[in-house]
Amino acid sequence: MSEISARTGGKGETGAMRDRARLSFDLDVDICVVGAGLAGLTVALEASRLGASVAVLEGRHVGWGASGRPLGTVMPGYGLAIKDLIERIGFDDARELWALSKEGAEFVRAHATEQLMPGIALSEGALEVSNVDVGDRLISELQMLNEDFETEIEGWQIDRVRHHLKTDRYFHGVYFPKAFQIDGSKYVHGLAAMARRAGARIFEDTPVVSIDASGIRKRIVTPSARLRASHIVLAGNVHLGAPSRRLSETLLPVWRYAAISAPLGERLADTIAFRGSVTDTDGIDHFRIVSGDRLMWLSPETTWNARPARFASAIARRIRTIFPGLGRVEIADVWGGAIGQTVHGMPQIGQLRKGLWVASGFGRQGLSTTAMAGQLVARSILWGDERWRLFSPFELVWAGGTTGRVAGQLIGMWGRGNSAAAGALARYRERARERERERDARLAEANRQAAPPPVRPRPPPGRSGEGRAREEPHGGRAAPPRAANSGEGGGAS
């Protein structure tokens, strides 16, 4: 099944979505997971495989939030740039966090197969492109990721980037050959199906009214039943609300809207030859080809909710700006979802108090980070894995409420404006350099045309032009001398 059909009505888990089970009876389990998104379902799957009894409580339905509508790119890394990560926690801990992110990507690859999740539509490769000319900076980043962080990566020069993407908006690129893309909607429902088969019980349309995390056995109250568990995992992102107001207030709600174009035919292949996902270094453009000849494109982030249809024209204009060769692009569908962005840009993973865990705040982290968080929390609970402490420096920080949302929106607008200005300046400088090269070439040609003809070398002294002429028929050898007393028709008298 194609990604667009899964997103717009082709139910990835048809029977399960028709028969949503609500929690209508009291229940005791080892682990209660609040939130049936990517992180929560990964916790449920991993913990069930390790032998724990697990219940997942979801206020609406599986993948209801942003987890059900991701672009589907899977690659290592976090929302915080690698150099900032090293500056914050040191080189060794940054390497360990990067290794965890790679484990998350491998978890997704191992499960997102056609055998386990039919129609997952896996494609390979991801390309990060720059809006400005950053060749020198690119070299140092490549060396660090390749040598110190053991990540397969390639640097692309400007000509190669523009060979694959027919636009002058992008300059250098960083290619991740081990990254890949999947149908995100199919993946989240596939996780739910696998968790159920492993023994987890998923209850939809079951909001959590209150949580009492004191004592050995924690108590969770829902509208129609109560649940007791030794451990509670909060994986509900910005939608946790009243049950964990302190946690939800540490997240800045950010909406991002995605669009899928109508079929574009051969003109799409002529304009975009790269089949993986493409992101720009400023986090503005994020797109990839889906269903053969359609373009999936994400809008810039906003801190306010709106009707997705309002963004169709803005996304279409952005596509035309970046790829004018595509001409008019018709948008077939637009949808959106809210994510929770932390102040420091890193996810919230770990134990808040004994038996109360969090796996949230993923923002734009990607599928690999949610998979890593789910694995790590489950293994921490059941195996005593202490690596969650690597995230301890990234504490819970209040996101600022309404003031924070206004500030976030203004900062985002300023960042996009700054990026646009920097990109325009980079393109101007590139055109100026090209004009200078053309002027230098014309000047060199004019100098060549105006130059006097080359001076022919003079013959050596003592040799006349006649002598040279006489030598030519003999291949450069001197002609034999004529007798002094000889003459035409004459003889001795």
Side-chain angles (χ1 to χ4, degrees):
M1 185 184 296
S2 68
E3 184 150 1
I4 185 171
S5 64
R7 223 294 307 160
T8 57
K11 303 295 189 280
E13 199 179 19
T14 309
M17 295 193 74
R18 279 200 302 263
D19 303 323
R20 291 180 189 165
R22 295 180 176 86
L23 181 62
S24 57
F25 51 90
D26 292 351
L27 185 64
D28 276 26
V29 292
D30 295 325
I31 301 172
C32 173
V33 180
V34 181
L38 290 165
L41 292 171
T42 306
V43 173
L45 173 59
E46 190 73 2
S48 297
R49 285 175 171 173
L50 296 177
S53 59
V54 182
V56 181
L57 305 181
E58 169 56 52
R60 300 202 182 184
H61 58 80
V62 167
W64 166 74
S67 287
R69 305 174 178 88
L71 190 67
T73 300
V74 185
M75 60 188 295
Y78 298 92
L80 196 62
I82 189 67
K83 60 180 180 61
D84 297 328
L85 190 61
I86 295 172
E87 184 178 343
R88 179 73 180 265
I89 64 174
F91 183 81
D92 291 337
D93 284 354
R95 282 192 64 183
E96 286 201 53
L97 282 180
W98 191 268
L100 282 173
S101 179
K102 291 169 64 177
E103 287 182 22
E106 289 306 311
F107 177 92
V108 179
R109 182 182 284 277
H111 292 81
T113 65
E114 289 294 334
Q115 292 75 22
L116 296 173
M117 300 179 184
I120 199 67
L122 189 145
S123 61
E124 301 283 352
L127 181 64
E128 186 180 273
V129 292
S130 61
N131 293 315
V132 295
D133 193 341
V134 290
D136 294 339
R137 190 179 74 194
L138 180 65
I139 293 173
S140 61
E141 180 182 344
L142 288 171
Q143 288 177 336
M144 180 170 58
L145 286 175
N146 195 351
E147 298 173 7
D148 299 326
F149 289 79
E150 299 177 352
T151 300
E152 191 170 340
I153 190 172
E154 297 176 10
W156 282 17
Q157 296 296 330
I158 297 174
D159 291 346
R160 189 173 182 185
V161 170
R162 294 180 179 176
H163 173 75
H164 287 83
L165 306 173
K166 301 300 190 297
T167 177
D168 65 352
R169 292 277 172 157
Y170 302 137
F171 291 81
H172 294 88
V174 177
Y175 175 56
F176 294 84
K178 296 294 187 182
F180 58 98
Q181 292 71 228
I182 56 174
D183 183 328
S185 178
K186 298 288 289 185
Y187 179 70
V188 70
H189 289 289
L191 274 181
M194 294 176 73
R196 285 190 174 102
R197 289 195 296 269
R201 305 177 73 172
I202 301 174
F203 299 97
E204 301 175 272
D205 297 324
T206 304
V208 174
V209 176
S210 65
I211 294 174
D212 181 0
S214 61
I216 297 176
R217 298 290 288 174
K218 323 300 180 187
R219 292 178 291 277
I220 303 98
V221 178
T222 72
S224 55
R226 296 171 184 267
L227 188 147
R228 298 205 314 166
S230 299
H231 297 270
I232 298 174
V233 181
L234 302 174
N237 221 325
V238 295
H239 307 293
L240 282 171
S244 187
R245 181 70 63 187
R246 176 172 172 264
L247 178 61
S248 61
E249 288 180 349
T250 65
L251 301 175
L252 179 68
V254 173
W255 281 264
R256 201 165 193 187
Y257 299 89
I260 290 183
S261 73
L264 297 172
E266 291 298 323
R267 56 185 171 136
L268 180 59
D270 293 339
T271 305
I272 301 176
F274 186 73
R275 289 288 162 170
S277 65
V278 180
T279 59
D280 74 342
T281 51
D282 295 320
I284 297 175
D285 298 329
H286 194 175
F287 59 89
R288 69 182 179 99
I289 296 173
V290 296
S291 302
D293 64 346
R294 294 174 183 261
L295 191 60
M296 180 188 287
W297 196 289
L298 266 67
S299 73
E301 296 172 346
T302 174
T303 59
W304 303 101
N305 194 7
R307 288 189 306 106
R310 292 179 52 187
F311 291 84
S313 58
I315 293 175
R317 284 196 302 273
R318 182 64 180 174
I319 295 173
R320 287 197 302 272
T321 299
I322 302 299
F323 296 108
L326 281 177
R328 183 176 178 274
V329 175
E330 180 184 350
I331 300 299
D333 187 31
V334 186
W335 68 95
I339 57 176
Q341 182 70 39
T342 59
V343 173
H344 44 64
M346 288 291 286
Q348 299 168 337
I349 301 171
Q351 187 170 215
L352 300 176
R353 57 184 297 182
K354 189 172 179 59
L356 182 62
W357 299 79
V358 61
S360 185
F362 297 101
R364 64 175 79 94
Q365 308 286 333
L367 291 172
S368 61
T369 312
T370 59
M372 175 271 296
Q375 282 184 290
L376 188 58
V377 169
R379 293 175 182 179
S380 297
I381 293 172
L382 299 170
W383 285 358
D385 192 334
E386 292 286 307
R387 288 180 296 171
W388 63 268
R389 296 187 184 278
L390 290 166
F391 293 91
S392 297
F394 307 102
E395 65 280 353
L396 302 180
V397 181
W398 182 54
T402 302
T403 303
R405 294 175 67 179
V406 173
Q409 183 72 13
L410 293 175
I411 291 171
M413 293 172 63
W414 178 85
R416 292 192 292 273
N418 189 47
S419 173
L425 179 60
R427 294 191 297 276
Y428 170 79
R429 288 173 173 169
E430 183 183 38
R431 289 192 295 269
R433 288 194 297 269
E434 183 62 30
R435 287 194 297 269
E436 185 176 351
R437 284 194 293 268
E438 292 175 356
R439 185 169 59 250
D440 290 346
R442 288 195 300 269
L443 181 60
E445 178 63 19
N447 289 337
R448 189 185 69 80
Q449 296 288 343
V455 178
R456 300 182 65 179
R458 294 183 177 182
R463 300 182 66 184
S464 66
E466 181 183 354
R468 289 196 306 275
R470 291 173 56 194
E471 291 171 0
E472 288 175 1
H474 299 275
R477 295 188 300 274
R482 297 177 60 186
N485 59 353
S486 66
E488 293 184 8
S493 57

